[in-house]
Amino acid sequence: MSGSEPGPDERGAGRMLALGATAWAAMGFATADDPRVLGVVAAVTGLVAIAAWRRTSWFLASMATVAAVCVVVGGARAAAVASDPVTELTAQRATGVVEVRVSGAGRWWAPSGPRPGMWRGTAELVSVDARGGAWRSGAPVQVVATGEVGLAWAAVPMGATVRATVRFGAADAGSGLFAELRARESPVVVAEPDVLNHMVGSLRRGLVEACTPLWQDARALVPALVVGDTSAMPDDLRERFVVTGLTHLTAVSGSNLTLLLGFLRAFAVGCGVRGRWLLGLQVGGVAGFVLLCLGEPSVLRAAAMGLVGLAALGRAGRGRHGLRFLGVAVLAVVLAEPAMSRSLGFALSVLATFGLLRWAGAWADLLARWLPRWGAETLAVPLAAQVATEPVVVVLSGQVSVVSVLANLVAGPMVGPATVLGLITTLVAPVVGSLAVAPAWAAGWFAQGIAWTARLGEALPGAAVPWPASAVAVGVVVLGCGVLVLLAPVVLPRRWLFLGLAGVVLLALGRTPTPPGWPPRGWAVASCDVGQGDATVLAAGPGQAVVVDTGPDPAPLSRCLAQLGVSRVPVVVLTHLHADHVGGADALAGLGVDLLVTSGVRTPEAAHARAVAVLAPAQHVEAGPGSAWQVGDVRLEVLAAPALGRDLGGEGESSAENDASLLLRADVAGVSVLLAGDAEEGAQTRHLGLRGALDVDVLLVPHHGSGRHSPAFVAASRPDVALVSVGEGNDYGHPAARTLASVNATGAVTFRTDERGSITVARAPDGGLAVTTQR
């Protein structure tokens, strides 16, 4: 056998991986709920079986057998789901009385503006009484409740069985859940949690309570690291974790389990435990981890990947042994829970584990030629994980994180201590609460360091590059990752070549990235992708623009302005003072703002005072109907400024304040645009008296596409292009289907920032409108 030929172990690992991949693909197609797809998979499986018989190939026969089993299991699962009465109720959006066992940690979102508070959690459906029938069930579901009802659901202890009236709706694809239940009333407890659930609930509550005195970020992160409880994480921190590639730390993952089992093993060995007792202790650790993290499908996925990592370490088999275990784990997971085959979370776990097993060790060996061993391993692990998972990350986030490796390099050493100390806190707190203070405080310091890493990393101008999630664009990312893998043996062992490329990356972090072809020359109007908020940029001349609203956070607006080449903003207009329209005002400080325009309504007062202070010494003007300004190529006119008084009372965000939004018309280089802030149906109806002034080329759909709209107002604007500035996966349900239907009825082409990133509009040479998107 030549040295280049794979040995038996390597061939065995490759074949086991191929079997796992076959099971994954076959199960994914088999659960597609499409008989045609199932038929194609069955036909391909038959062809492979024939080829195996003709070539007497046991390997091909094994692949055909695995695929056939998955076709049967997946098809049976899809048929069972399709025939389940819950599926029919979901399709009909029926209302019924259910009993559910609350099985997962829910999350409570506090009220914000006109949006009521909301609770969301997972549960097991016990029984259903709807549409004249009653039956038992064991289907996993998600429960959603709002307002006072949501507060009542949030108070239900984990493991309790409750009864309530709900409305059935569709669950997220790939979640493994049968339905989403919208609670219509507060739950009535019909059975208290059993002993096991009570114990697990006490452990989780003890951890949360022990972390209460910590800083906000640490208080949220420690439970997330230990048991995957992200209920206390603020939205801005979540976004920073996405940008910096640290989101995997806040989910229950295989790395969490590997860390905890590694600590348990070291502790047991130190106490003299060996042999089967050590193996039994680790198996017990896995069971405890699954229970502590509520035993949901994502937890079972994490347990499988964690065991792969532990088994590979135990056999010193990073590589061939580990990859064999990974193939077995994939096969077992998709057979045990077919829905995992269509889960992007599962794909992330598998690919990350593959990257660590296949490349991390080899790359660490290459780096160790000029780096200390600990430094080589510290760098190789996040690099291998990012290369392996980047295509899926792009699909999930619509961006390529440039800062990810650096952020994981800095945060990595803090994850282990924070997780282990958090686990100690979890075990100690229910027994002697006072003894949990010290490990909780220590875990908090490490967690706070991780949070600072995310916040500082996200603040770098070049932290992430917006990237479309189309098939072609993702294919480019896959190709790029393949090239990196091929170049690794050349680059990693050569110190100056590696450091030179690392220097290029560091320089890129200091410059705001611009996607190819962005921005287009001659753009007139830009709707910046600032998440759940509005920020519209009107081109006034070379390097200058008028900005209408600033979004909820400075970083996205700063990035958008830098990409657009805007270095000076003479005029800033705030349609109203809600956080999602004024929170990013800090991004405009230092950009030469001469004039700040607001309405006469000054609530919320704190937001008004802050905006004026941040943009000082700009002149502050309260606009009225007919106010107009000419700024370079921009003519901006206030069509309506509702006279609702200077103070609507209180510091909360209300529908009255939404309706007090300025109504603006801008004409920019031959493109007219209508901006109505968050005006709702009442204000939009009043605006109909403006008639022809509402007729524009571009409509920024009011209130992010909220369902509280007037179809007549949308029709009166007669837009050719409609822009919806909205955050991906927002909790408000924006944009509403009925609002999009009203916009589409005008004949306008709709573009959304959550789907397309930032969007520009210009007048095309042929007289039409040219729309360019980042994604």
Side-chain angles (χ1 to χ4, degrees):
M1 180 184 296
S2 66
S4 61
E5 292 180 353
D9 285 343
E10 292 176 336
R11 286 198 299 270
R15 289 175 175 176
M16 195 64 245
L17 264 183
L19 289 177
T22 298
W24 190 358
M27 191 69 79
F29 286 119
T31 54
D33 195 24
D34 187 335
R36 294 171 299 179
V37 174
L38 188 60
V40 171
V41 175
V44 171
T45 300
L47 291 175
V48 173
I50 293 173
W53 176 70
R54 295 187 64 178
R55 297 179 58 181
T56 319
S57 170
W58 288 104
F59 176 57
L60 287 179
S62 299
M63 292 184 69
T65 301
V66 166
V69 170
C70 290
V71 166
V72 173
V73 172
R77 170 64 182 264
V81 171
S83 61
D84 193 292
V86 173
T87 302
E88 184 178 355
L89 294 174
T90 297
Q92 298 171 349
R93 301 187 64 81
T95 299
V97 177
V98 300
E99 288 187 4
V100 297
R101 183 177 298 109
V102 179
S103 56
R107 184 185 178 195
W108 168 256
W109 284 267
S112 176
R115 186 200 72 176
M118 182 178 68
W119 179 86
R120 186 189 299 269
T122 55
E124 178 188 347
L125 190 60
V126 176
S127 66
V128 182
D129 187 348
R131 298 289 171 96
W135 59 92
R136 306 288 291 178
S137 177
V141 295
Q142 180 171 257
V143 181
V144 178
T146 58
E148 295 297 325
V149 173
L151 280 174
W153 278 89
V156 175
M158 187 186 70
T161 302
V162 298
R163 182 187 298 113
T165 300
V166 301
R167 183 177 181 181
F168 289 80
D172 294 335
S175 65
L177 302 175
F178 274 53
E180 179 181 271
L181 309 182
R182 291 268 174 177
R184 295 295 188 87
E185 61 183 3
S186 298
V188 176
V189 177
V190 297
E192 296 292 339
D194 57 27
V195 174
L196 185 59
N197 276 293
H198 179 75
M199 181 182 68
V200 172
S202 296
L203 289 170
R204 294 174 66 96
R205 285 193 302 273
L207 173 62
V208 172
E209 291 170 3
C211 294
T212 300
L214 304 178
W215 308 275
Q216 181 184 13
D217 287 348
R219 183 168 64 245
L221 271 181
V222 174
L225 291 169
V226 180
V227 297
D229 182 359
T230 61
S231 59
M233 281 191 70
D235 290 337
D236 69 315
L237 186 59
R238 290 171 181 267
E239 176 61 28
R240 284 162 173 78
F241 269 62
V242 170
V243 172
T244 54
L246 296 174
T247 305
H248 62 95
L249 300 180
T250 65
V252 178
S253 66
S255 61
N256 294 56
L257 180 57
T258 302
L259 278 170
L260 296 178
L261 290 182
F263 166 73
L264 183 62
R265 187 178 190 278
F267 179 78
V269 170
C271 295
V273 180
R274 297 289 190 277
R276 294 181 179 179
W277 288 102
L278 181 60
L279 178 61
L281 186 64
Q282 291 182 97
V283 171
V286 174
F289 172 82
V290 172
L291 287 174
L292 191 61
C293 297
L294 308 179
E296 297 176 335
S298 61
V299 179
L300 299 177
R301 175 195 74 209
M305 295 304 110
L307 285 174
V308 168
L310 194 68
L313 290 174
R315 293 287 300 273
R318 63 181 192 203
R320 59 180 183 271
H321 291 306
L323 292 175
R324 181 182 287 112
F325 296 139
L326 178 60
V328 173
V330 170
L331 181 62
V333 168
V334 297
L335 286 174
E337 181 48 65
M340 284 291 101
S341 62
R342 305 180 67 82
S343 166
L344 290 177
F346 177 65
L348 278 177
S349 290
V350 173
L351 291 174
T353 305
F354 173 83
L356 295 178
L357 294 172
R358 182 66 181 84
W359 299 316
W363 290 358
D365 291 340
L366 294 173
L367 288 166
R369 296 181 186 180
W370 56 274
L371 273 176
R373 185 70 199 184
W374 64 267
E377 292 180 348
T378 302
L379 182 58
V381 167
L383 187 60
Q386 181 169 10
V387 169
T389 60
E390 193 60 39
V392 178
V393 171
V394 168
V395 172
L396 288 169
S397 65
Q399 61 187 7
V400 173
S401 178
V402 179
V403 78
S404 175
V405 171
L406 179 60
N408 278 278
L409 186 64
V410 175
M414 295 180 276
V415 176
T419 303
V420 171
L421 288 165
L423 175 63
I424 295 172
T425 303
T426 305
L427 299 176
V428 171
V431 182
V432 185
S434 58
L435 293 181
V437 173
W441 180 82
W445 271 107
F446 289 107
Q448 189 62 46
I450 297 170
W452 284 335
T453 301
R455 292 188 181 279
L456 290 174
E458 193 269 347
L460 294 171
V465 179
W467 198 267
S470 65
V472 173
V474 174
V476 171
V477 174
V478 172
L479 180 62
C481 291
V483 170
L484 288 176
V485 171
L486 293 175
L487 291 178
V490 177
V491 175
L492 297 182
R494 292 170 171 80
R495 176 187 304 181
W496 297 114
L497 180 57
F498 178 86
L499 292 177
L501 292 175
V504 171
V505 173
L506 291 175
L507 289 175
L509 290 173
R511 180 182 180 276
T512 301
T514 302
W518 182 268
R521 296 182 61 181
W523 66 273
V525 178
S527 180
C528 290
D529 180 12
V530 292
Q532 183 63 17
D534 274 351
T536 307
V537 184
L538 310 173
Q544 297 191 70
V546 172
V547 172
V548 179
D549 292 330
T550 66
D553 188 76
L557 179 57
S558 292
R559 190 175 299 119
C560 181
L561 292 175
Q563 290 175 340
L564 292 171
V566 174
S567 57
R568 186 168 183 272
V569 181
V571 177
V572 177
V573 184
L574 302 178
T575 58
H576 64 301
L577 297 170
H578 286 176
D580 56 337
H581 291 252
V582 304
D586 286 357
L588 304 177
L591 294 185
V593 179
D594 297 322
L595 183 66
L596 169 63
V597 179
T598 68
S599 74
V601 177
R602 292 193 174 185
T603 55
E605 180 60 36
H608 178 269
R610 174 163 175 74
V612 172
V614 165
L615 298 178
Q619 179 187 0
H620 176 217
V621 173
E622 294 178 357
S627 298
W629 298 269
Q630 184 76 41
V631 185
D633 295 333
V634 177
R635 173 175 168 74
L636 187 65
E637 181 181 2
V638 179
L639 299 181
L644 298 181
R646 299 176 64 85
D647 191 331
L648 298 182
E651 286 296 303
E653 298 182 352
S654 67
S655 292
E657 289 163 343
N658 284 337
D659 279 346
S661 297
L662 295 175
L663 177 65
L664 307 170
R665 177 186 172 117
D667 290 273
V668 190
V671 178
S672 57
V673 56
L674 190 66
L675 308 104
D678 279 355
E680 298 179 3
E681 185 174 5
Q684 292 176 29
T685 300
R686 291 192 294 271
H687 295 333
L688 291 174
L690 295 166
R691 301 182 185 279
L694 301 178
D695 187 352
V696 290
D697 300 313
V698 179
L699 171 68
L700 180 66
V701 179
H703 201 182
H704 325 293
S706 162
R708 300 175 181 177
H709 81 292
S710 165
F713 174 81
V714 174
S717 65
R718 299 177 59 194
D720 296 315
V721 170
L723 306 177
V724 184
S725 183
V726 63
E728 184 177 4
N730 67 87
D731 302 321
Y732 302 90
H734 295 163
R738 57 182 176 275
T739 302
L740 293 178
S742 295
V743 173
N744 294 336
T746 68
V749 181
T750 303
F751 296 87
R752 298 164 46 171
T753 59
D754 61 332
E755 296 177 344
R756 302 296 191 95
S758 297
I759 305 161
T760 63
V761 185
R763 182 61 67 186
D766 63 1
L769 294 179
V771 179
T772 305
T773 66
Q774 277 189 326
R775 303 181 195 166

